[in-house]
Amino acid sequence: INPMFSGSGTNIKMLDYMAAGLPIVSTAMGARGLETSEQAFLESTAERFTADVSALVDDPPRARSLGVSARKQAAMFYSWERLSPELGALVKRWHARLGARRPLFSVVIPTYERHTLLSRLVSNLNAQTCRDFETIVVDQSARPWPDEQIGEGSDLLYHRTDVRGPGFARNSGAKLARGKAIAFIDDDCEPLPDWLENAAKRFQNGDIMGIEGFVASEHKGESEWRAVTNEGFEGLGFMTANLFLLAEVFHAINGFDMAFGDMPFREDTDLGWRAQQLGAIPFCREVRVNHPPQPRALPRESLE
């Protein structure tokens, strides 16, 4: 139990309890700073604390389930095996560029088992008319990307992890990013050559927090295809197939919410709505990417 009602900083003992696979009852204050993709502890209040502890003692299956989840989340997000490689990549990258000007954009690409599409996207990025950007690839595939040499000659960082989920991958990419603005795009997208150039003009012409770009797709409305487009959905969806946010805004709202898990839905909308509380995110049709439709016959593209 962790009945904390005041204090500052993260309670490291919470991670000890989680790593031990214990069922935990805490308060919001006691769990501050801890993010998980599934429930790993019971968050209570002063008024409910005694009753919540008693209820958990009287429900062994639920207690065991919480303990298993706590152990899983500690291993996934807070073990040294997770934290050290990412921190090492971050320090190495910034050290190698000491004194160098920060790029305007960091293009963050999460990818999972679609290396052919990733190679096509990186080739399209190499053809961008605006060159003031770096590329961060976060690969969750079982095997390394065989075409990493495509990024040679450009500022590309390739980072692998076995933690699944596009939200997690995008958060990791944003941590490694040096750009003033983060440009999120999907690995199966085809940005037009002036994609970044048009975005740069929009950032220069106004006091904005980000940009929602236009995502074009074919076969819209056809049941056998998943057409990925925000046409008719502008200003609402904030699809990460084409979304820009100032880095300071992304970090101020703590990035993507890990509670959406490894098969998220509308975690990008949640991010956009929270970011809008800090300022304007206009829809810019000229900041365009094409998103080829995917057949529903593929398991990862199915309606289910």
Side-chain angles (χ1 to χ4, degrees):
I1 63 172
N2 187 32
M4 292 289 296
F5 301 101
S6 62
S8 60
T10 300
N11 285 178
I12 301 301
K13 59 187 174 185
M14 283 286 288
L15 296 174
D16 290 336
Y17 302 159
M18 291 169 65
L22 298 173
I24 304 166
V25 181
S26 182
T27 60
M29 177 65 69
R32 62 196 179 279
L34 297 178
E35 292 184 83
T36 60
S37 62
E38 59 187 60
Q39 187 180 16
F41 43 79
L42 184 62
E43 199 170 289
S44 188
T45 65
E47 294 76 19
R48 298 198 323 262
F49 205 91
T50 301
D52 284 342
V53 171
S54 297
L56 200 58
V57 169
D58 292 338
D59 190 350
R62 187 184 182 206
R64 283 194 295 272
S65 176
L66 274 177
V68 169
S69 178
R71 168 72 186 187
K72 174 184 173 183
Q73 297 297 297
M76 185 179 297
F77 296 116
Y78 295 107
S79 66
W80 284 117
E81 292 85 352
R82 301 295 183 201
L83 298 175
S84 183
E86 192 171 275
L87 178 60
L90 175 68
V91 172
K92 181 180 179 181
R93 184 163 182 78
W94 280 81
H95 180 265
R97 288 157 178 79
L98 284 177
R101 187 180 66 86
R102 289 176 63 191
L104 176 58
F105 296 119
S106 292
V107 180
V108 172
I109 308 167
T111 187
Y112 174 63
E113 303 297 357
R114 295 203 290 202
H115 286 154
T116 299
L117 295 176
L118 173 64
S119 297
R120 184 187 68 184
L121 172 56
V122 172
S123 295
N124 282 330
L125 291 175
N126 288 339
Q128 287 293 301
T129 54
C130 170
R131 306 307 305 166
D132 194 7
F133 72 96
E134 64 177 2
T135 304
I136 312 291
V137 174
V138 181
D139 190 358
Q140 301 169 316
S141 306
R143 297 181 181 276
W145 179 34
D147 296 334
E148 190 176 350
Q149 73 279 358
I150 291 177
E152 292 179 0
S154 63
D155 191 359
L156 184 144
L157 173 65
Y158 176 68
H159 180 69
R160 286 189 69 222
T161 176
D162 60 351
V163 180
R164 299 286 183 265
F168 175 83
R170 292 187 178 102
N171 281 347
S172 294
K175 291 176 187 176
L176 297 168
R178 297 176 57 250
K180 298 174 184 177
I182 302 171
F184 294 107
I185 190 170
D186 291 346
D187 60 3
D188 53 349
C189 284
E190 300 170 344
L192 270 63
D194 59 359
W195 176 55
L196 292 178
E197 180 181 348
N198 289 336
K201 292 176 182 176
R202 191 63 182 84
F203 273 109
Q204 292 165 0
N205 292 336
D207 185 14
I208 58 176
M209 301 295 105
I211 291 172
E212 181 188 10
F214 177 42
V215 182
S217 189
E218 299 173 324
H219 297 293
K220 184 180 179 181
E222 299 182 24
S223 60
E224 65 270 26
W225 293 91
R226 185 175 78 92
V228 185
T229 178
N230 56 3
E231 191 165 15
F233 199 49
E234 303 93 336
L236 294 172
F238 299 100
M239 297 171 62
T240 38
N242 190 1
L243 180 65
F244 294 73
L245 282 181
L246 292 175
E248 60 186 309
V249 171
F250 182 86
H251 295 303
I253 63 174
N254 210 27
F256 290 92
D257 188 344
M258 289 292 94
F260 281 91
D262 60 357
M263 288 192 67
F265 181 72
R266 293 275 67 93
E267 85 288 355
D268 45 4
T269 303
D270 170 75
L271 179 84
W273 288 0
R274 286 187 286 119
Q276 275 189 310
Q277 297 176 16
L278 300 181
I281 305 176
F283 177 80
C284 300
R285 196 175 186 88
E286 70 278 11
V287 181
R288 172 172 169 154
V289 304
N290 292 327
H291 198 308
Q294 300 294 333
R296 290 291 189 187
L298 296 175
R300 67 189 289 179
E301 308 295 347
S302 67
L303 284 170
E304 181 181 25

